[in-house]
Amino acid sequence: MVTPRAHATRSPLQLAALIVGIVFLLVGILGFIPGITANTGDLELAGPGSDAMLLGIFEVSILHNVVHLLFGVAGIALSRTWAGARNFLIGGGIVYLLLFLYGLLVPHGSAANFVPFNSADNWLHLVLGLGMVALGALLGRSRGRTRSVL
């Protein structure tokens, strides 16, 4: 007789990747919501001309929000396996560290700032990159499992 599992089990690594993916998905959605994002009428497809500000702090564009949505979906999907979760956290963390460097090197008002970024975005990218790499490296040391309701 086949019985369904009462609870899905996830390793702490997989749970971390799932949570990070959900947060990115929510941030991508919130970037389109007036009131949470200021100046949504000035939301542009891409580039430094978008004056929309998520939480009044982080400069966003349609492309920026879509990247967050896709990153969130990737995190949720990759959290299904231990290796996928580790790759998402470490690989995604490296991407965010590279975005931090890109944000430091590219003038905020230039056409090369296509996502767009501002200083708050740059510092957030540094913290996200370091945090994701740390989670992937530290939680990726063992393949222990834990019960999760997520």
Side-chain angles (χ1 to χ4, degrees):
M1 179 172 164
V2 177
T3 59
R5 294 188 305 181
H7 297 286
T9 57
R10 293 186 192 270
S11 69
L13 176 74
Q14 290 171 277
L15 184 58
L18 178 64
I19 290 169
V20 170
I22 290 170
V23 169
F24 273 108
L25 191 62
L26 290 174
V27 167
I29 293 167
L30 294 175
F32 290 109
I33 298 177
I36 295 172
T37 299
N39 307 321
T40 52
D42 296 327
L43 193 63
E44 292 190 9
L45 178 63
S50 184
D51 289 326
M53 302 290 281
L54 178 62
L55 303 174
I57 301 170
F58 305 103
E59 190 171 359
V60 293
S61 66
I62 294 170
L63 175 63
H64 203 152
N65 292 334
V66 168
V67 168
H68 287 142
L69 291 169
L70 293 173
F71 212 76
V73 169
I76 292 167
L78 290 169
S79 74
R80 293 179 181 184
T81 67
W82 187 90
R86 187 169 189 273
N87 289 338
F88 170 72
L89 290 170
I90 293 175
I94 291 169
V95 167
Y96 272 89
L97 290 173
L98 291 172
L99 286 173
F100 168 71
L101 292 175
Y102 180 81
L104 289 179
L105 299 173
V106 173
H108 292 170
S110 79
N113 185 13
F114 64 94
V115 175
F117 302 138
N118 62 13
S119 293
D121 287 302
N122 289 342
W123 290 108
L124 181 61
H125 292 159
L126 175 64
V127 171
L128 283 172
L130 293 174
M132 290 174 70
V133 169
L135 282 171
L138 295 173
L139 296 177
R141 291 184 189 185
S142 70
R143 288 184 178 248
R145 299 188 77 73
T146 186
R147 291 207 180 267
S148 170
V149 294
L150 292 177

